[in-house]
Amino acid sequence: MIYFFRALSAEQLKLKRSLAMWMVLIAPLAVCFLYLMIMLKTPESYYGPSAWEGEIKSILSMWSVMMLPLYITLETALTANSEHNNQIWKYLYALPIPRWSIFSAKWVMNLFLVLSSSVVCFILTIGAGIVMRYVFPETGFVHNFPWTYALTVNGKVFLASLFIISIHTWISLNWKNIIIAIGSGMVAAVGNLTIMMSEKWGAIFPWTLPFYAYAVEDVNLIQIYAIALGGSLLFAIFGSFWLSKKQIF
Amino acid sequence: MENHHEWIIQTNQLSRNFGKVSAVNRINLEVPAGSVYGFLGPNGAGKTTTIRMLLGLIHPTFGSIKMFGHDLEPQNWQYLKQIGTMVESPSLYPNLTGRENMEVTRRLIGLPKSNIDMALDNVNMLQAANRLVKEYSMGMRQRLGLALALINQPTLLILDEPTNGLDPAGIQEMRDMIRELPKKNGVTVFLSSHLLSEVEQTASHIGIIHEGHMLFQGSLENLRSERNPILHLGSDHPERAAELLKQSGWKVRQNGKPGLLVEVNGNSDVAFINRKLNQANINVFQLTVQQPSLEDTFLQLTTIKK
């Protein structure tokens, strides 16, 4: 276990001054800023007492359906590319450390990056509502912020995204060509838009799970979490095993 | 003759194929402890493939490896604790400073912080350590790569083409550092290169590989004593002369000029060649015997023994 914590500590240092670190702020900021613009244009839609819930749900829709899958694709590609681009693998694999520790640390760091951006998205959601409260005091944003609801739905989205993180961590570490990492994420994100319409497939397709976890009623949440968490863990173990066996040419 | 326990690296029939291509073919490396072993060969000879097998980055198709007297098992990475490495270009994160790059490795291996300054000092990089690597020159990157290889105070240093991309001053500086390592730190150095001058000026032992085959292995003295003198031969029909001599079994090379280079054993061979060419109505105007340089020997080994 000591090897894992050492590798994690090294991963944390590698993020310094990296684009991956900036993306933690940029991705949620883009979504929340865009939605704030929409709210400022149509304040009348937020006159009721459920203004906060409406805002949270709308931002989460933009986040979970489009931005989150693309963000995960980009972050995993960026963290893996710092190894691919600088030809680090031959050096890392010649160090006296077990290879699984490299994959597992990278996986946990990717989870942390997605969790961090989810927290930033949560904070910016509150910020956008506060801006509305001051610009349009007649809207429902004067009511108290629904902490329990907001934390619950954001938590669901994050948990349901774990499977995608594992898949993309493996893809981006396994293939040096960033086109494969980015391309697979884009195809999945577009597929997401189609598959989410199908109740049958939407509840099992990894990329639609974040949306289904909080937005679709009468959905079997246990099944969703079983797929997301179980799939994530199994894929992480598979990825770790796969990359440990990999030869570095 | 060295004792077998003194081999830091020993391979037995080590081979690696890529599809139908044999990149490394049954080589038996024997690297003595405390030596600077120059692993010499032209580009594509199999040097990097051999190094990757020694480090466990790729698996041999056939044969075995002993490191520090122990058989190398797949997935056994513990032996790497005694090895420092730089394979081809140095592996650096450009968004980090030199010191931070060292810190990444220090954290991964779990070394004391003092090892960073020690390794940086060894390669004269303490001053520039706090600058971002993306601002480094090629020479500074190579030196930092060497510092990374030294951070765990290895007993064996494996360097693959360490002077690649360096200017003449950088090459000289790198050579001096490598030469000093066995004396200063007690490190055995396994150094691959396609540059004869680099190996000649740095190594105490030498292995020559060509097209996956080991052509020579031993000390520089052994190599020098094995070399045949070279006859520089000038004639009015160099093509005919070359053909005639080759037909008679002589090892002949052309040096790009009208002259020929012929591997001979002594003056009696020179007289015989002169007579033979005269009998064939070829006029000889130059016959000079010289002890071959390492470059001549390398060419003898790689072009004639092929």
Side-chain angles (χ1 to χ4, degrees), chain B residues 43-78:
Chain B
N43 290 330
K47 302 185 297 291
T48 302
T49 303
T50 304
I51 285 179
R52 286 177 189 234
M53 285 191 279
L54 296 178
L55 294 171
L57 298 175
I58 57 174
H59 308 313
T61 309
F62 181 75
S64 62
I65 301 169
K66 266 189 181 178
M67 301 286 267
F68 311 103
H70 300 287
D71 285 322
L72 203 64
E73 303 291 339
Q75 302 298 312
N76 174 18
W77 46 266
Q78 295 288 348

Side-chain angles (χ1 to χ4, degrees), chain A residues 16 83 87 247-249, chain B residues 52 57 59 91 93 95 100:
Chain A
K16 207 169 170 181
E83 317 295 352
Q87 300 184 42
Q247 298 190 69
I248 308 297
F249 295 101
Chain B
R52 286 177 189 234
L57 298 175
H59 308 313
S91 303
Y93 298 99
N95 56 313
E100 285 164 351

Side-chain angles (χ1 to χ4, degrees), chain A residues 139-206:
Chain A
T139 57
F141 289 106
V142 291
H143 296 293
N144 287 337
F145 182 72
W147 287 99
T148 311
Y149 172 76
L151 284 169
T152 308
V153 288
N154 274 284
K156 282 177 174 180
V157 169
F158 172 69
L159 284 177
S161 71
L162 295 183
F163 197 179
I164 323 174
I165 299 171
S166 292
I167 293 171
H168 276 294
T169 301
W170 175 71
I171 290 174
S172 58
L173 289 174
N174 193 44
W175 281 283
K176 187 180 178 181
N177 191 342
I178 198 168
I179 304 291
I180 294 173
I182 301 282
S184 61
M186 287 175 76
V187 168
V190 172
N192 192 12
L193 296 173
T194 316
I195 294 170
M196 65 188 286
M197 305 297 176
S198 156
E199 274 190 34
K200 186 182 171 191
W201 297 106
I204 56 170
F205 185 59

Side-chain angles (χ1 to χ4, degrees), chain B residues 233-243 252 254 257-260 282:
Chain B
L233 189 151
S235 68
D236 56 356
H237 290 98
E239 284 84 12
R240 269 185 61 212
E243 201 181 320
V252 182
Q254 284 186 297
K257 305 280 180 191
L260 300 173
I282 297 170

